[in-house]
Amino acid sequence: QVDLVESGGGSVQAGGSLRLSCVASSYTQSSDCMGWFRQAPGKKREVVATISMRGRNTYYLDSVKGRFTISQDNAKNTVYLQMNSLQPDDTAMYYCVAGSPITCRYYSNDDSAFNYWGQGTQVTVSS
């Protein structure tokens, strides 16, 4: 079992920045692929970004490319999501996720492929 704890959410105005952090209680093969999903009220949950903790492969939702950056600190079992140029459409609950290496390779946009989920952190962007 791997526990994921998110932090860093909050409220900002459009054009602002936030950095989300997610600490995993331990590293296992089944949690090598880490990343973030988000869900806004009335909308479908969608992947934002994923990263392979050992391989550094990354995946981004098209609408966040060039604005968001995912990174990891293996020594701390932590993944970060730097979010710049935030827009009202980015408003959502953001969930940290973790899965096996094959998840990052083939199933980054499939929420059912992730083994572990955090409780979520709210991001609100006002216009």
Side-chain angles (χ1 to χ4, degrees):
Q1 179 67 28
V2 176
D3 295 321
L4 304 175
V5 179
E6 306 103 330
S7 61
S11 298
V12 296
Q13 291 190 328
S17 298
L18 285 173
R19 188 175 83 153
L20 305 183
S21 299
C22 174
V23 180
S25 57
S26 62
Y27 172 82
T28 71
Q29 190 75 351
S30 65
S31 64
D32 179 78
C33 175
M34 293 188 69
W36 300 87
F37 274 72
R38 70 185 181 186
Q39 187 166 24
K43 293 187 177 181
K44 185 180 178 181
R45 187 160 56 189
E46 61 183 1
V47 63
V48 178
T50 62
I51 188 167
S52 171
M53 296 298 280
R54 295 294 183 266
R56 297 182 178 269
N57 295 324
T58 58
Y59 172 93
Y60 290 96
L61 180 68
D62 283 346
S63 63
V64 309
K65 287 180 180 178
R67 300 188 298 122
F68 292 9
T69 303
I70 191 168
S71 62
Q72 86 276 49
D73 184 333
N74 290 333
K76 297 180 179 180
N77 289 331
T78 300
V79 64
Y80 304 97
L81 185 68
Q82 177 66 45
M83 305 185 293
N84 299 327
S85 301
L86 282 161
Q87 303 167 4
D89 283 349
D90 295 316
T91 295
M93 184 70 78
Y94 284 70
Y95 297 92
C96 181
V97 296
S100 64
I102 196 172
T103 302
C104 269
R105 185 172 298 177
Y106 298 115
Y107 305 111
S108 284
N109 61 354
D110 182 354
D111 58 2
S112 67
F114 290 87
N115 302 315
Y116 306 104
W117 289 74
Q119 292 298 309
T121 185
Q122 178 68 36
V123 172
T124 302
V125 185
S126 58
S127 58

